[in-house]
Amino acid sequence: MKEIIRKKMAASPVLRWTVLGLVSFTMLTGYVIADVMAPLKTLLEQQLGWDSSDYGLFTSGYGWLNIFLLMLIFGGMILDKKGVRYAGVLSVGLMIGGTLLKYWAITADLGGAVSSFSIGGHSLFSVKSQVLYATLGFAVFGVGVEMIGITANKAVVKWFRGRSLALALGINVAAGRIGTAIAMFGSLPLARMTGNPGAPLAVCLLLLCIGLLSFLVFCVLDRREDRETETLPGTEKEEEFKLSDIVKIAKIKAFWYITILCVLFYSAVFPFLKYATELMIQKFHVSPGFAGAIPALLPFGNILLTPLFGSIYDRRGHGATIMLIGSALLVCVYTLFAIPALTANWMAVVLVLVLGAALSLVPSAMWPSVTKIVPYRMLGTSYSMIFWIQNWGLAFVPLLIGVVLKNHCIAGTVVIDGVVSTRYDYTLPMLIFAGFGALSIVFALLLRREDARKGYGLEKPNDELQTNSTTKTQIP
Ligand SMILES: NCCCC[C@H](NC(=O)[C@@H](N)CCCCN)C(=O)O
């Protein structure tokens, strides 16, 4: 009888897809907030008196606790020790707490207060208190949103092993992209309409509370599933995560290949977006009012393509090859972006669309492939280690590009919207991004070779591999 119930729970497609919808919706609400302030840079400067360095400090806050205080790694260990329900509720709690602090900082009247830091009477630096509190809020939020990313991965793996795993993870990534698209298109109009840069954050907070409810419903279903599986005769208890597992993970060569591929690949895409609008204006002569719309096409393509490529991986396999093709596309896109003679508007649109295809190919194969390399009980820690290293790239590559632009790429001045601005030659930054792509190819090749040696099954269809497994812990 219990066997029947278990089959009913775990195998019921309606239940599985409902679980995916609930978890992905929670992640979506977090992803909206991650990007909601980006379109408001000018408004923050006009209405709150921020300058570019205030905004830069605030944006960098996202990674502080994750990178320097290793919060992401601890998040992964909590996930493996305490499970997806505990980690998920904790993540949403952190996101709500961080966003509340950020909202308060943006909307409170702090009377232009300044916070100064000094050691032994020597002043280190001063910063507007409003900027400081908003940054701290964003830092706490950053811990929560990265943690919900890995929690969602592990929850989806838990429910979809053996059944369209890459498609499910692709849909989960697509939910994140919908969140980004909502932020990119909704934030500025809402702030302008209300005349309040805090208004989009208030709406996001409401959305995040609905995200919490959604996750709590998931918790009920997940708990029921666990109870029913546990009481089945012959069900072995999942081996517990131990601290020494970190060493085991670190000894897996393929894990490092996929991690390095991840940091190189993501460092070539997300940091590019921070400069893409200016590239459109200065190289492709797109009008400033329209220039942001071209890079904004990127998440839209992903929404359809990531699940599509995931489904191909499930049915046909070729995971490592999919990552290789995605990396090769990066090289093509950025080499073409670097060619000074190519300045047609349509070319920029085509290149962004191809970049979107690359950003669908690699994640659609990368996240499911990790499950073939490390055992399920270590998955949270493994994803967190990958995210941690990736976060270094996401934090420092934009800085590197900024320094390169300032020191090597100034090519005179240009008038934009009646204002004389510095003209930059983007050839070198584009070649740097192409270089990341070339290195990604190398690591995708190394991964493919390691797979052939160790037989992880990265080139095999997920569905075929999974139907051969019989227990929860049998992932190679
Ligand atoms: N369940 C989510 C899978 C990860 C998706 C992946 N996100 C990340 O890698 C994050 N660490 C950083 C994303 C930063 C974007 N603002 C993704 O492809 O988005």
Side-chain angles (χ1 to χ4, degrees):
M1 179 62 182
K2 285 210 172 121
E3 180 63 24
I4 295 165
I5 296 169
R6 192 188 78 92
K7 276 203 181 126
K8 240 173 100 184
M9 288 289 288
S12 152
V14 175
L15 192 60
R16 253 183 297 127
W17 294 104
T18 305
V19 158
L20 178 69
L22 293 167
V23 172
S24 300
F25 177 74
T26 309
M27 203 184 86
L28 180 156
T29 60
Y31 267 54
V32 181
I33 304 183
D35 291 312
V36 78
M37 300 306 280
L40 306 184
K41 179 175 181 284
T42 313
L43 208 69
L44 292 171
E45 291 175 8
Q46 289 167 345
Q47 293 200 2
L48 304 182
W50 289 24
D51 57 27
S52 277
S53 60
D54 291 331
Y55 180 78
L57 181 78
F58 164 73
T59 310
S60 73
Y62 179 89
W64 284 2
L65 302 179
N66 282 327
I67 296 178
F68 301 116
L69 295 189
L70 303 181
M71 286 302 179
L72 229 170
I73 307 276
F74 292 130
M77 292 197 295
I78 291 172
L79 171 59
D80 282 334
K81 273 247 162 241
K82 298 272 192 179
V84 287
R85 299 189 291 271
Y86 185 95
V89 173
L90 179 64
S91 316
V92 184
L94 286 168
M95 287 197 282
I96 291 178
T99 308
L100 272 173
L101 177 58
K102 189 163 93 174
Y103 177 74
W104 170 79
I106 301 271
T107 52
D109 182 8
L110 296 177
V114 170
S115 302
S116 300
F117 296 87
S118 52
I119 292 183
H122 294 284
S123 169
L124 285 178
F125 72 94
S126 306
V127 57
K128 295 178 187 91
S129 301
Q130 181 178 57
V131 175
L132 179 71
Y133 296 133
T135 305
L136 286 176
F138 200 30
V140 173
F141 167 83
V143 177
V145 75
E146 286 290 306
M147 201 168 155
I148 196 70
I150 55 174
T151 305
N153 273 5
K154 191 161 177 175
V156 174
V157 175
K158 185 176 176 186
W159 279 81
F160 280 82
R161 277 182 296 187
R163 303 175 188 93
S164 310
L165 175 63
L167 169 64
L169 283 170
I171 291 174
N172 179 251
V173 170
R177 299 286 178 271
I178 296 174
T180 304
I182 293 174
M184 281 169 109
F185 283 93
S187 177
L188 190 56
L190 183 62
R192 279 215 175 120
M193 200 173 74
T194 54
N196 174 9
L201 267 183
V203 174
C204 283
L205 261 171
L206 187 70
L207 204 62
L208 196 52
C209 292
I210 305 174
L212 175 62
L213 288 180
S214 169
F215 198 83
L216 291 175
V217 177
F218 158 76
C219 288
V220 174
L221 298 177
D222 190 66
R223 201 183 154 91
R224 247 175 64 192
E225 208 271 344
D226 270 2
R227 278 199 184 144
E228 282 168 9
T229 311
E230 269 164 25
T231 50
L232 278 177
T235 306
E236 290 164 38
K237 197 156 168 28
E238 195 94 47
E239 218 182 306
E240 288 233 335
F241 173 81
K242 296 181 283 298
L243 215 59
S244 58
D245 283 341
I246 294 187
V247 181
K248 285 191 190 143
I249 298 169
K251 281 186 180 158
I252 305 172
K253 242 189 205 170
F255 169 79
W256 287 110
Y257 292 152
I258 215 164
T259 302
I260 297 172
L261 172 59
C262 175
V263 64
L264 288 167
F265 180 83
Y266 276 91
S267 295
V269 180
F270 287 129
F272 163 78
L273 289 179
K274 304 218 182 290
Y275 294 92
T277 304
E278 191 170 79
L279 175 83
M280 296 303 145
I281 297 170
Q282 298 214 0
K283 181 173 167 30
F284 294 95
H285 312 295
V286 180
S287 69
F290 187 65
I294 299 179
L297 292 172
L298 197 79
F300 284 103
N302 293 161
I303 293 166
L304 290 177
L305 290 180
T306 316
L308 175 73
F309 294 138
S311 153
I312 292 174
Y313 185 17
D314 282 332
R315 287 179 291 113
R316 301 267 163 86
H318 307 294
T321 308
I322 290 176
M323 289 185 255
L324 185 63
I325 298 171
S327 306
L329 285 183
L330 278 194
V331 179
C332 300
V333 166
Y334 288 120
T335 307
L336 290 170
F337 265 135
I339 297 174
L342 294 182
T343 56
N345 282 191
W346 64 266
M347 188 75 187
V349 174
V350 170
L351 291 181
V352 167
L353 291 176
V354 179
L355 188 62
L359 184 59
S360 306
L361 281 163
V362 175
S364 71
M366 179 178 282
W367 305 120
S369 292
V370 179
T371 67
K372 294 177 172 178
I373 294 171
V374 287
Y376 178 76
R377 71 167 200 280
M378 305 176 190
L379 215 46
T381 309
S382 307
Y383 279 130
S384 72
M385 287 163 75
I386 298 175
F387 271 31
W388 183 69
I389 292 170
Q390 177 215 46
N391 266 254
W392 280 90
L394 297 183
F396 288 99
V397 170
L399 212 66
L400 168 78
I401 299 296
V403 171
V404 168
L405 277 172
K406 193 173 155 194
N407 294 319
H408 304 285
C409 305
I410 293 180
T413 54
V414 61
V415 178
I416 298 170
D417 274 349
V419 180
V420 179
S421 316
T422 308
R423 198 177 95 74
Y424 294 104
D425 175 356
Y426 265 90
T427 307
L428 189 54
M430 293 304 114
L431 289 176
I432 292 176
F433 286 134
F436 285 140
L439 286 171
S440 304
I441 294 179
V442 173
F443 282 92
L445 284 170
L446 286 171
L447 183 64
R448 213 164 65 155
R449 196 185 59 173
E450 187 67 3
D451 175 46
R453 278 186 186 160
K454 296 271 168 71
Y456 292 117
L458 301 188
E459 291 293 274
K460 295 207 173 123
N462 298 316
D463 289 349
E464 186 185 287
L465 263 189
Q466 304 283 336
T467 40
N468 292 335
S469 77
T470 49
T471 71
K472 267 189 172 183
T473 45
Q474 245 188 5
I475 287 177

